[in-house]
Amino acid sequence: MARRFVLTYQLLGNPTNTGSPDAPNWNDFWNAYSDGQYLAEFNPLIVGPVSAGITFSQQESFVGNRSDGNYRDSGASIGFQVKSSLSPTTGFAIVGQNQEQLFGGGGPNGRYPGANDNIQADLGRSYLFIASQSVPLGNWFGAKTPAIATLTAGAGNGRYKPIDDTRKNWVNYGNYGPIGTLSLAFNQRISIFAEWAGQYNGIGASFKPFERIPVVGTVMLRDFQGAHQGIVNCQGGNPDNCRTTIDSRITISF
C-alpha cells in the first residue's frame, strides 16, 4: 500500500571521522562522530497500484559539532520516485535521489571536488531501478500475521555504484552497480535484513513497537573490516581497514 507521507530521521555513526579512535566516549560520539539527517517523501499522485511523488533530504549533519548551523548549508535537495505494485507480492520502483540541490553545493559530476568547489550535499546524485518479490511463509510462533521473505534487486549509480567508481569519480552519478536486499519479516513488528547497495552494505533489524501507530525503528551495522565497500569509514581510505558503523533511523508513514 502506497503511503502519501513518509518522514525518516536517521543517525549515522562515524560518518567521515576516519582519523579518530573507534571507541569514543558518549560526549565525543554525540559531538564529533554522529551525523543527524532527515528525509521526507510526499506522494500526491496515487492511482491504483501506482504512486508518484517527490522527496526532500537534508544531507549534512545538524547534531553536535558536525552541524553546519545554517539551513543554507544543510545540503537540502529534492528528488523523485515512481512506484508500482505489479501484484500483491511484486513491486517495481524508479527513484532519483538528490537531483537538485536547493542552495547549491551539490558538487561536480564525474570527478572529485576541487579546491574551489563548494560542497554541502555529499550523499550523491543517484538513479535507482529496483524490483521486489515477496513470498509468504505461513504464520510462525502463533503470530496473527504470516512471516514474509522479500528479495529486492536492481541497479543504481551515485552512492550505490561500485566502490572503485566512487574512488575514481566521487559520488555523483557514474556507472551502475548491482544492489539488493534480502529481508525476513517474522510478523508485522519484527524483521531482519541484509543489504548490498554500494556504500550502504550490512545487516540490520527493524521493529514496529506499536500496532496502530505507523512508527518503525531500524538499526544497521555496516562497513565491516575487509568488506571492500564503503570507504567513508575506512582508515586512510583503505577498504581492508574499515570500521563497523552503527546506523539508526526512525520512520513515520501515513
Side-chain angles (χ1 to χ4, degrees):
M1 177 180 177
R3 299 290 187 178
R4 197 168 294 275
F5 297 96
V6 178
L7 179 63
T8 301
Y9 171 79
Q10 58 185 7
L11 184 66
L12 309 179
N14 270 5
T16 53
N17 213 331
T18 57
S20 301
D22 285 348
N25 60 42
W26 176 249
N27 287 334
D28 287 341
F29 171 79
W30 188 255
N31 289 326
Y33 281 71
S34 300
D35 247 349
Q37 301 162 340
Y38 61 85
L39 307 93
E41 303 174 11
F42 172 49
N43 296 297
L45 179 63
I46 301 178
V47 180
V50 179
S51 66
I54 58 175
T55 59
F56 173 84
S57 67
Q58 172 268 328
Q59 300 178 60
E60 290 299 305
S61 182
F62 59 87
V63 299
N65 295 337
R66 298 181 59 79
S67 173
D68 290 300
N70 186 320
Y71 72 93
R72 290 186 174 274
D73 296 329
S74 67
S77 68
I78 58 175
F80 70 89
Q81 58 185 12
V82 178
K83 300 178 181 179
S84 177
S85 297
L86 305 179
S87 76
T89 59
T90 305
F92 179 76
I94 300 174
V95 180
Q97 292 186 340
N98 309 318
Q99 296 297 298
E100 182 67 29
Q101 274 66 40
L102 299 182
F103 304 106
N109 299 328
R111 65 172 176 84
Y112 266 80
N116 296 324
D117 289 315
N118 176 30
I119 304 301
Q120 290 299 332
D122 61 358
L123 292 188
R125 291 191 284 273
S126 310
Y127 289 115
L128 301 173
F129 300 86
I130 50 180
S132 63
Q133 178 66 51
S134 298
V135 179
L137 302 176
N139 295 53
W140 291 4
F141 312 113
K144 297 179 181 179
T145 56
I148 298 177
T150 302
L151 174 64
T152 300
N157 63 0
R159 197 73 170 186
Y160 303 90
K161 63 190 176 184
I163 196 65
D164 290 340
D165 194 311
T166 301
R167 292 194 192 98
K168 183 186 301 182
N169 300 314
W170 205 50
V171 294
N172 287 336
Y173 298 130
N175 296 324
Y176 284 84
I179 57 178
T181 302
L182 180 62
S183 64
L184 174 61
F186 296 100
N187 48 48
Q188 285 188 328
R189 293 193 174 188
I190 302 174
S191 63
I192 58 175
F193 64 89
E195 183 175 271
W196 179 272
Q199 299 244 350
Y200 296 95
N201 308 300
I203 58 174
S206 294
F207 179 61
K208 184 177 182 291
F210 310 107
E211 184 175 355
R212 298 183 180 276
I213 301 176
V215 175
V216 178
T218 303
V219 175
M220 179 179 177
L221 303 179
R222 62 179 174 89
D223 290 349
F224 302 105
Q225 188 172 18
H228 293 273
Q229 290 291 109
I231 59 173
V232 171
N233 298 308
C234 305
Q235 289 180 318
N238 181 357
D240 290 316
N241 196 21
C242 289
R243 302 178 293 178
T244 301
T245 302
I246 299 175
D247 290 351
S248 61
R249 75 184 52 152
I250 297 175
T251 302
I252 304 173
S253 58
F254 50 94

